[in-house]
Amino acid sequence: MAFLNGPRLLDWANSPPHLQFNKYVLTGYRPISSVQECVKSLFYLHNELGNIYTHGALPIVYSTLLCYPFTRTVALLMYILLSSYGIYCAITARSRVRRLRSFAWQALFRFSFFLLRGVGVGGGSPTSLRHFLTMDALAVLGGVINITRIPERFCPGLFDYWCNSHQIMHVLVVVSILYLHWGVLDDLLWINTYHCPSD
């Protein structure tokens, strides 16, 4: 069982210089910062844009409310404001749990549109909903795996370099983005052939 006593992760100061590109990854969390520092961090080489992309889902809102232009515009603006606030909360979160919780309101907002589609009130391709539900399930699963530190919590040292919770989360996020892409493609094809009922 020598692998259990293997090397531990390095802290930021002891890691190689080529891995010290993001000053916010000191303990795995980002510190409370000014708004300017938070905005600047979005443009660092390594950031959470992939995670954020899976939580921005403007095409879902647009397609669902295709035939309701005023409501659609208001909903899109609300979602953009909610997403901006969620990003700020995630960037300034002091723990992994708070970072995941930052996106809860966005998820609830999206689920309200899934519900509209499910009961037939909202528009959208009949096949896209399963893609979007899979997308959210994978994103939530990735977040839960990351905050619970599975599998490394069961075998400390074994997963320091490969297959740790952070890597698993990123793989699930990439797969989640694929499902978002497939769902949006279905909706775009649907929009090309659908005609809103005239009043």
Side-chain angles (χ1 to χ4, degrees):
M1 297 290 251
F3 61 85
L4 290 178
N5 297 323
R8 299 284 181 223
L9 290 175
L10 297 173
D11 62 9
W12 187 80
N14 292 322
S15 62
H18 66 277
L19 295 178
Q20 295 180 356
F21 51 82
N22 188 345
K23 65 182 178 180
Y24 292 105
V25 184
L26 301 176
T27 62
Y29 316 123
R30 293 181 185 198
I32 296 293
S33 303
S34 68
V35 173
Q36 292 141 333
E37 284 293 316
C38 291
V39 171
K40 282 179 12 184
S41 76
L42 291 175
F43 300 99
Y44 291 163
L45 179 63
H46 179 272
N47 56 48
E48 300 297 330
L49 286 180
N51 297 347
I52 291 165
Y53 179 67
T54 61
H55 299 46
L58 296 176
I60 296 170
V61 176
Y62 185 91
S63 298
T64 303
L65 299 175
L66 181 69
C67 297
Y68 308 97
F70 178 76
T71 306
R72 180 182 67 219
T73 302
V74 170
L76 287 168
L77 288 173
M78 285 176 50
Y79 193 73
I80 288 168
L81 292 173
L82 187 62
S83 297
S84 299
Y85 179 71
I87 290 167
Y88 174 78
C89 290
I91 288 172
T92 59
R94 290 180 163 225
S95 72
R96 299 179 309 266
V97 174
R98 285 189 180 177
R99 184 178 295 168
L100 181 62
R101 205 169 41 191
S102 303
F103 298 107
W105 288 110
Q106 284 176 296
L108 291 175
F109 196 81
R110 275 192 316 280
F111 280 118
S112 69
F113 288 92
F114 297 160
L115 183 63
L116 287 174
R117 286 182 177 211
V119 297
V121 175
S125 169
T127 59
S128 65
L129 186 57
R130 68 182 163 89
H131 292 303
F132 296 140
L133 290 171
T134 304
M135 169 201 74
D136 269 333
L138 289 170
V140 168
L141 178 63
V144 169
I145 287 172
N146 192 39
I147 65 172
T148 57
R149 300 291 192 223
I150 294 172
E152 62 267 18
R153 83 171 359 181
F154 301 116
C155 298
L158 180 60
F159 299 101
D160 285 351
Y161 297 108
W162 298 103
C163 300
N164 60 56
S165 58
H166 192 81
Q167 291 170 340
I168 293 169
M169 180 267 303
H170 278 287
V171 168
L172 289 172
V173 164
V174 168
V175 175
S176 176
I177 291 170
L178 285 173
Y179 276 94
L180 172 62
H181 173 75
W182 293 328
V184 170
L185 283 180
D186 286 352
D187 275 350
L188 290 175
L189 292 172
W190 174 84
I191 287 172
N192 282 334
T193 59
Y194 185 78
H195 300 287
C196 291
S198 55
D199 292 328

